[in-house]
Amino acid sequence: MAARKPISSDRSISSHKADDKEYLVSVKNYPMLYLMVRPNGTKSWVYRYLSPTHSKNKRISLGVYPNVSFARACEIWRDYEELLSRNIDPKDHREELKNSVISKTKNSFNHFAWEYFDSLDQTQKSNTLIRKRGRLELICSYIGDEPISEISSPKMLEVLLDIQANSLNKAGKPTDKAERCAGIASDVFVYAGARGFCSSNPAALIKSQLAKSSYGHRPAITKPKDLAKLLRDIETIEGDPNTINSLRLLALLFVRNGDLRRMRWADLDLEAGRWRLKPLKGQGKVNMVKDMVVPLPRQAVAILRAQQQINGHTKFVFYSETAKKHQIISDATANKRLKDLGYKNIHCAHGFRATAKTILQEQLKYPLVLVEMALGHTTKDPNGTAYGRFEYIDDRSDMMQKWADYLDALRDGKDTAKFKADTKDTAEPNAQLQALIAQLGEDQVLAMLKSKA
């Protein structure tokens, strides 16, 4: 049989196929490091050496490929060579380390879960830690006492499917609890694996096997009378100005809460009344824009100038000195305040988008294309070409200003009749016609005009 070509990269490993008997392939430039290929196709790293303490030839497994990559195997080889240079047997050294820790911890998932959790204290906020603690407690109730190296992917799938079956929403659809539990379990396996106590991450492949989470439509107020009360209630909030100003802007601009929280001063032009951003949800989503320009009404500019007095020296508009991870207010801040105001299951931070869309279309009769562009949804012209971020910018600016004025009138209990479609100034026929053409197409609009002639 011809000599097998030594391994020099990950790519070269694929050329070595399973045979009737297991065989070893040397690694170029790494003496005594081999890849063992078994008849069942499993490939694992093996290091052979002469023990300095027993003067006997030994071999030690470095792990299964590709869980242990080519580069990682070479790193371990260097570590073991260094031990041998000090007359330390690598296998004895590894066993001594493992046994000393196992004797104290019994190598359980529970131990590594809480050791990992304790390591998060300096990087996570308290409310995040509370949520993660709950997930870990739930997982540990299933597998906490099991040795972490013996937990298999089928076992993790069984656990997570049971969690999923017991965390359905009111519509009987799965929430994301099982996915989030899979995520933190995966973090624990990575933490333990990096310390040599398990060689695989059985939670890593499970997420794709879970049913997609579903929350249905998020609660939102869509009646002007109810919206007026909500706007007045927001003004009663005391304390951190970040909170009240973020809620004010969510109502005015109806962008996603995640995008608002990440608003940067560098993306704002307060003189021109423009905010340019890359919506988080637009990255990789075909129906969401990747770049967006939000026209800022006078009211929004005033709020932002007030924020500038507070956070103008920082990168973010909603900077928070208590945030440990991103230095911005938490995604739960707005929803917590709304809940405190009595709007649990009635309205949420994301609900301002549904509020604006419904009232702008049903009450103020703005064209769908303008509303969709304001929401950051992909909109197309009659030829199927997506509109650019600056198209209809004047019409959108007008809509955003009228929306802000409408909210002021609602909140102050003033008459809003002048904002409604039947009392609108008809000095904008061209803009309305263009919007109608964008929705229906030029041919259909011409046909409608001819039928009326």
Side-chain angles (χ1 to χ4, degrees), residues 263-304:
M263 179 187 279
R264 304 181 306 171
W265 293 114
D267 299 329
L268 291 166
D269 184 342
L270 297 184
E271 293 300 323
R274 297 284 187 270
W275 172 27
R276 298 179 64 167
L277 71 151
K278 293 181 181 294
L280 286 175
K281 206 165 184 179
Q283 311 311 308
K285 298 271 188 175
V286 296
N287 62 329
M288 306 292 178
V289 296
K290 293 180 173 58
D291 296 282
M292 185 176 177
V293 175
V294 179
L296 301 172
R298 294 187 302 275
Q299 294 87 332
V301 172
I303 293 169
L304 289 168

Side-chain angles (χ1 to χ4, degrees), residues 58-84:
K58 286 187 175 184
R59 75 179 191 180
I60 183 172
S61 173
L62 309 189
V64 177
Y65 179 85
N67 291 336
V68 176
S69 67
F70 171 77
R72 178 57 184 152
C74 294
E75 289 176 2
I76 298 173
W77 176 88
R78 283 189 284 269
D79 292 339
Y80 287 175
E81 287 286 298
E82 197 274 334
L83 287 173
L84 286 172

Side-chain angles (χ1 to χ4, degrees), residues 308-359:
Q308 209 166 33
Q309 298 299 311
I310 304 169
N311 291 331
H313 63 291
T314 69
K315 176 181 178 181
F316 294 104
V317 174
F318 292 103
Y319 168 82
S320 172
E321 61 182 12
T322 62
K324 294 182 179 179
K325 190 173 183 181
H326 298 299
Q327 284 74 55
I328 55 175
I329 58 175
S330 164
D331 61 340
T333 300
N335 283 321
K336 184 180 184 302
R337 287 300 186 184
L338 289 170
K339 181 180 177 182
D340 293 342
L341 290 173
Y343 287 90
K344 181 179 180 180
N345 297 325
I346 297 174
H347 191 82
C348 65
H350 193 81
F352 285 108
R353 292 169 63 77
T355 300
K357 180 175 182 178
T358 302
I359 295 179

Side-chain angles (χ1 to χ4, degrees), residues 2 17 32 51 92 113 138 146 230 258 278 290 372 395 447:
K17 309 297 182 183
M32 309 311 287
S51 172
D92 292 345
L138 181 57
E146 296 189 25
L230 170 60
K278 293 181 181 294
K290 293 180 173 58
E372 289 292 289
D395 294 319

